[in-house]
Amino acid sequence: MSSMIKVAVVGCGDRACVYAKEGVFNLKRMQVVAAVDPDPVKRKQMHEIYGVPKEMCFETIDGLLAKGKIADCIINGTMDQMHLETSVPFLKQGYDMLLEKPLVNNEKDLYALMAVAEENGCKLMTCHVLRYAPFYKKVKELILNGDIGEVVNIQTSERVGAAHSSMSYLRGKWKSEKECGSSLLLAKCCHDIDLICWLNNSTRPTEVVSYGGRNYFIPEKAPKGAGTKCLVDCPKEVREKCVYDVQSMYLDNCVLPWYPWQCTGKHYEDVTMEEKIESLKTYNPHGSCVYKAGGDIVDHQNVMMKFADGSTATHNVTLGVMAPGRSIWIVGTKGEIEGNIESGVLELKKYDKATSLHTVEKFTFHDTAGETGGHFGGDRGIVEDFCNIMDGKQPSISCTAIQDSIVGHVLTFKADESLKENKPVTF
Ligand SMILES: NC(=O)c1ccc[n+]([C@@H]2O[C@H](COP(=O)([O-])OP(=O)(O)OC[C@H]3O[C@@H](n4cnc5c(N)ncnc54)[C@H](O)[C@@H]3O)[C@@H](O)[C@H]2O)c1
């Protein structure tokens, strides 16, 4: 197949449209022929932006399933807890699929999903987009090349900025594991745990231990005198000193505008300032005091992992930091790799016989703002690889086929089990 790849989009929200946009408009290799979304605004957008015929825009998956297999593949961008129920019926019809991460939220469903894909001969890839960012691809190439010898230890860390934390994990739709089905580690760091497993995939994880908790974004830590909603009952003098005051974070600035105004039922660009303010005063969960917003996920977590060959790894995630960043440091027997994806600089350090110190080779990645696609080029990279695989070409070294991506997911589930049960968990 090297003609246009026919795609049906299921769950036409933010993420699915990122992939559809890459495939249709940037790579020009996909055509969206059908769409499913219960939200009429999203269905209208699929018709207007992607030219999906109105009669091929369905309110439920049953409408599309009833048509039989009318496309080559599915892009599934539904929310976390819907992935299994919205994927299995399409896999049974033989659709290949690009499914958002996390694939599912527990081990049993993960194996069930993989079994259905394999029984029906379907290619199923998950959106671990960071594997495709040129920054991480370079890390993988250096390891495969033998530049640092054997991997001894990997340290990764993710410091989630205050505004991002608020919009996604403290006031946003991933704030509660009970409601959305994902822990912080699964929603945010299944990327990082996947990167560790992928970069160190000449071996396999054998044991994990994790510590963390919700210690900072709790009512007891709210500023003295704080109300329950910024714009309703929080005194001016408290708001002026609070980082999370909605005036600055949501009204004057808004780093992830597609999240907080979703509940208005309008596309975020169409929401007026009056509507934003009214929503924050009333029904919008982002209007709540960040310390009293009712979330149940941890606000910081550390994970320590042991691998069969004796190598080890750690990952740390912290919400609500002032200077965000995702960094990596890998120690090998013959060298080290160190970098921070936001700065776009990766360093390869090796022993220098001439000085008995070390040399530094620098690699610079200029797309720190996502000009080549979001996630530092990862969003476009994954769609391109998926298109290549659909066209029968060789997958890239980043390929996130479910058979390879389950390791990171299982490790994430086991890390959360360790955190909750306060004990190491073995594989
Ligand atoms: N790869 C990444 O880095 C990354 C980043 C952010 C989010 N995500 C993941 O992407 C997924 C989607 O997140 P989002 O922010 O795009 O969500 P979203 O809310 O913008 O989109 C979900 C869409 O699914 C629709 N929907 C609800 N029920 C449905 C059903 N029964 N059938 C079909 N559609 C239905 C909703 O109306 C909505 O339009 C989540 O699993 C999330 O965790 C991944």
Side-chain angles (χ1 to χ4, degrees):
M1 180 200 312
S2 4
S3 50
M4 218 38 111
I5 297 162
K6 290 195 172 67
V7 181
V9 178
V10 175
C12 310
D14 171 45
R15 292 305 303 169
C17 288
V18 165
Y19 304 121
K21 189 174 139 213
E22 291 297 348
V24 173
F25 299 120
N26 292 325
L27 299 167
K28 301 186 178 19
R29 293 178 69 180
M30 285 179 168
Q31 179 195 357
V32 183
V33 296
V36 183
D37 203 298
D39 182 343
V41 177
K42 302 284 169 55
R43 294 200 299 277
K44 190 162 172 269
Q45 276 169 16
M46 296 311 285
H47 170 63
E48 289 172 356
I49 301 173
Y50 297 96
V52 182
K54 281 190 180 153
E55 65 279 12
M56 294 307 280
C57 292
F58 303 97
E59 205 173 326
T60 67
I61 60 169
D62 295 335
L64 177 55
L65 286 165
K67 295 274 175 196
K69 188 167 181 289
I70 49 102
D72 301 310
C73 58
I74 301 276
I75 293 178
N76 186 338
T78 54
M79 271 295 285
D80 306 20
Q81 72 279 42
M82 307 195 75
H83 289 174
L84 190 71
E85 65 185 271
T86 56
S87 296
V88 168
F90 290 110
L91 294 169
K92 285 188 173 165
Q93 284 193 338
Y95 279 101
D96 295 321
M97 188 177 291
L98 185 63
L99 171 59
E100 254 304 355
K101 48 75 16 192
L103 284 159
V104 287
N105 63 13
N106 66 79
E107 226 175 307
K108 185 170 148 270
D109 288 349
L110 186 63
Y111 292 123
L113 183 69
M114 186 165 74
V116 177
E118 289 181 345
E119 279 156 19
N120 293 280
C122 304
K123 297 165 192 137
L124 173 56
M125 273 172 62
T126 192
C127 298
H128 282 313
V129 287
L130 289 178
R131 286 195 193 190
Y132 290 89
F135 176 95
Y136 286 111
K137 260 183 133 169
K138 185 71 193 176
V139 177
K140 180 72 180 171
E141 281 162 12
L142 292 172
I143 293 174
L144 286 176
N145 226 10
D147 279 285
I148 60 164
E150 270 180 61
V151 171
V152 176
N153 176 256
I154 302 180
Q155 296 176 34
T156 57
S157 124
E158 173 151 37
R159 301 163 301 279
V160 191
H164 185 171
S165 296
S166 172
M167 291 183 191
S168 297
Y169 306 106
L170 297 170
R171 288 157 156 156
K173 58 190 178 188
W174 291 279
K175 74 176 182 195
S176 165
E177 184 171 356
K178 238 184 264 153
E179 282 165 27
C180 106
S182 295
S183 65
L184 175 67
L185 199 69
L186 188 60
K188 187 75 185 117
C189 302
C190 70
H191 281 307
D192 306 87
I193 305 291
D194 173 72
L195 285 172
I196 290 172
C197 293
W198 171 60
L199 294 170
N200 201 22
N201 70 0
S202 60
T203 179
R204 61 186 173 79
T206 53
E207 191 168 319
V208 61
V209 63
S210 181
Y211 298 104
R214 189 170 182 105
N215 301 88
Y216 303 102
F217 293 95
I218 52 177
E220 296 82 337
K221 293 279 166 98
K224 208 160 170 263
T228 56
K229 279 181 181 284
C230 292
L231 298 183
V232 176
D233 57 1
C234 194
K236 188 166 170 276
E237 57 280 11
V238 176
R239 287 178 52 197
E240 272 171 4
K241 289 189 191 149
C242 180
V243 167
Y244 295 90
D245 176 29
V246 294
Q247 183 65 47
S248 151
M249 195 171 266
Y250 288 78
L251 298 173
D252 299 343
N253 310 288
C254 194
V255 293
L256 304 171
W258 45 92
Y259 289 149
W261 317 119
Q262 202 169 23
C263 62
T264 64
K266 286 183 163 183
H267 188 265
Y268 67 87
E269 283 167 346
D270 300 329
V271 187
T272 64
M273 185 53 86
E274 290 69 33
E275 287 168 334
K276 289 179 183 174
I277 293 171
E278 184 51 27
S279 79
L280 292 172
K281 284 183 176 170
T282 53
Y283 61 90
N284 190 333
H286 294 267
S288 299
C289 171
V290 77
Y291 298 94
K292 302 173 185 173
D296 59 26
I297 56 167
V298 298
D299 50 30
H300 63 116
Q301 186 169 355
N302 302 347
V303 183
M304 287 175 69
M305 296 148 262
K306 197 161 104 182
F307 291 79
D309 67 353
S311 58
T312 52
T314 51
H315 177 67
N316 297 332
V317 56
T318 313
L319 294 185
V321 307
M322 300 305 124
R326 204 172 215 141
S327 46
I328 186 157
W329 183 25
I330 307 182
V331 181
T333 49
K334 292 184 183 157
E336 292 172 30
I337 299 169
E338 188 178 2
N340 176 309
I341 196 161
E342 275 79 9
S343 70
V345 178
L346 197 62
E347 292 182 343
L348 171 65
K349 301 173 186 185
K350 296 181 103 162
Y351 184 72
D352 182 13
K353 276 212 161 198
T355 61
S356 80
L357 299 172
H358 66 271
T359 57
V360 180
E361 190 179 349
K362 257 192 193 184
F363 304 94
T364 308
F365 301 86
H366 296 288
D367 183 11
T368 50
E371 296 93 354
T372 54
H375 289 100
F376 308 92
D379 289 351
R380 188 167 306 165
I382 198 167
V383 176
E384 193 166 22
D385 205 22
F386 184 66
C387 289
N388 287 343
I389 291 164
M390 291 300 300
D391 279 342
K393 296 186 184 138
Q394 269 299 102
S396 75
I397 52 167
S398 302
C399 183
T400 58
I402 186 168
Q403 290 76 7
D404 187 53
S405 298
I406 58 166
V407 186
H409 271 70
V410 174
L411 189 49
T412 305
F413 300 144
K414 297 214 182 277
D416 278 335
E417 186 185 328
S418 165
L419 176 76
K420 284 171 189 159
E421 298 187 6
N422 200 21
K423 58 170 199 203
V425 176
T426 50
F427 275 60

